[in-house]
Amino acid sequence: MFRALGFAVPLLAMGPSTGTPVASLSSVVAAPATMATATTAATTFKMPSIATPQVSAACKTGTTIRLTATTPSVTKLCVVDGKILINGKDASGFVVQDVKSQRYGPLMRGTNVPNLQVQRVSDTDARADATLGLGLVNVSNGIGKAVFRDLVWIGSKAHPAINSDDAWAAIALKGKDADDVGTFEIKNFDFQNLFMDSGSYYQNVDGISTEGGYSGTISNGRVMNASDACLDIKGNVRVDNVYLSGCRQGIKAWTNQSHGLVELGTNRFVGILGKGTKSGARTITIDVLIASGDPSVPLFRSEEGVVNLHIRRLIAKPGQVLNSSSSYAGSKVTVDQRLSI
């Protein structure tokens, strides 16, 4: 965890830590007239307290629950060593609450599940299934107003997804049709170790992925160690108080976006990857960006069109590379205020 504005914290190998080296005001990259105060008051990432599932019975081997319009809510359940817990379609207002699982494949796959609620669910030592993939929730064809809160998904490094042309995530809001729409809240989460085997296909496993029809918020949590992006974001999505590390890129942004506080540990390729378009420039704005990882990894790279990154307050190590030398021509990074770790 990073402490800024007079205090900062370096990272341990597995996440935010708690040291207190001094932070100092450094050079202002943008012209003084453009200096602005970040719109979020926070200047440090804080890992939230995640409520644990409250289960009422001993853990047992689970059988697949076939989701339909009449399936009752799944609550107070502890399951181990299963292939998939919930699979089906056409269920409105379905609730998954207080579920604890170990050594499980994906917990839920659904189609047309408006107003889905998933709260206080954990899946540890999670396994990938050769056909069904991996993850906590994988849904498409509409989510209405969905809520995802107090969630833990920790994958088994020994059981990654098979190399294929599928795309997986701890939470995947999928689909590109007119019905693939809805709003969501993802709050208080810890997602780690989301891997796909190497092979001829791109290793497409993210922490959280959202297609363009879905809008909402992602706040108070971390994603660590994914084959692709920690966050793969399309649509109108705001991110705040998140820590992203150990992924190919911390955020893969496909649209104009505005975010609160983001802390980037060391990601393998780039901190933020902006996907552009030939039809016009895009802009990504971040109120507070904390770069506590390897400063040689660029904070930003743009592809396929001009994308500009605007950082209102940057907290970074001296020598932090801001923009990749291979960014799409004309793309730039603007910093209003900079503090040094």
Side-chain angles (χ1 to χ4, degrees):
M1 187 178 296
F2 182 89
R3 306 287 184 222
L5 292 184
F7 34 87
V9 185
L11 283 173
L12 295 176
M14 287 302 291
S17 63
T18 55
T20 56
V22 175
S24 61
L25 186 62
S26 183
S27 60
V28 177
V29 176
T34 66
M35 182 174 289
T37 301
T39 58
T40 179
T43 55
T44 178
F45 168 77
K46 295 182 179 180
M47 185 65 189
S49 175
I50 299 176
T52 58
Q54 302 300 302
V55 299
S56 58
C59 297
K60 62 181 181 179
T61 301
T63 57
T64 300
I65 298 168
R66 299 299 176 184
L67 180 61
T68 69
T70 59
T71 303
S73 299
V74 176
T75 63
K76 297 187 179 300
L77 186 66
C78 185
V79 292
V80 295
D81 302 314
K83 186 173 182 179
I84 184 170
L85 181 61
I86 303 163
N87 197 2
K89 60 182 180 178
D90 301 333
S92 180
F94 187 66
V95 175
V96 183
Q97 184 169 283
D98 290 309
V99 174
K100 178 181 178 181
S101 62
Q102 294 177 297
R103 301 182 299 277
Y104 235 83
L107 287 193
M108 178 180 178
R109 295 194 69 180
T111 302
N112 185 27
V113 286
N115 307 322
L116 174 66
Q117 297 183 53
V118 182
Q119 302 184 75
R120 297 188 300 278
V121 176
S122 71
D123 190 4
T124 57
D125 198 16
R127 314 297 174 90
D129 179 80
T131 301
L132 298 167
L134 58 76
L136 194 78
V137 176
N138 185 303
V139 293
S140 62
N141 201 225
I143 59 169
K145 296 181 179 180
V147 174
F148 307 94
R149 294 180 185 160
D150 294 301
L151 307 176
V152 173
W153 194 96
I154 311 294
S156 167
K157 294 182 179 180
H159 296 83
I162 63 168
N163 186 257
S164 70
D165 61 352
D166 282 315
W168 309 110
I171 294 181
L173 307 181
K174 301 178 74 173
K176 300 180 181 180
D177 296 332
D179 292 334
D180 295 303
V181 296
T183 61
F184 65 86
E185 175 191 73
I186 300 173
K187 184 176 182 180
N188 295 6
F189 59 90
D190 188 4
F191 300 152
Q192 300 183 39
N193 304 337
L194 297 120
F195 297 124
M196 178 181 283
D197 268 336
S198 60
S200 58
Y201 291 101
Y202 183 77
Q203 292 169 276
N204 198 353
V205 182
D206 303 311
I208 299 171
S209 65
T210 68
E211 288 294 337
Y214 303 101
S215 61
T217 59
I218 300 172
S219 64
N220 300 336
R222 66 182 176 186
V223 179
M224 300 171 63
N225 306 325
S227 289
D228 197 20
C230 291
L231 304 179
D232 187 312
I233 303 172
K234 303 181 181 73
N236 181 15
V237 179
R238 181 170 174 84
V239 172
D240 191 28
N241 192 46
V242 297
Y243 174 80
L244 311 170
S245 184
C247 304
R248 184 177 186 269
Q249 52 269 321
I251 297 176
K252 185 184 290 185
W254 298 77
T255 56
N256 294 314
Q257 296 180 4
S258 178
H259 304 305
L261 182 143
V262 176
E263 179 171 351
L264 297 172
T266 299
N267 293 287
R268 298 187 302 277
F269 178 58
V270 70
I272 299 168
L273 180 63
K275 303 291 283 188
T277 175
K278 299 298 191 300
S279 62
R282 287 177 171 164
T283 300
I284 302 165
T285 300
I286 299 180
D287 292 344
V288 178
L289 180 60
I290 305 168
S292 54
D294 183 351
S296 69
V297 177
L299 285 186
F300 183 66
R301 182 177 187 269
S302 61
E303 296 180 343
E304 301 174 13
V306 173
V307 185
N308 297 315
L309 174 62
H310 176 200
I311 306 169
R312 292 195 168 100
R313 181 180 294 142
L314 172 64
I315 304 167
K317 298 173 182 177
Q320 173 65 59
V321 177
L322 299 183
N323 199 354
S324 170
S325 60
S326 60
S327 277
Y328 191 90
S331 300
K332 62 183 179 181
V333 176
T334 302
V335 178
D336 292 348
Q337 183 185 50
R338 179 164 178 165
L339 301 173
S340 291
I341 295 174

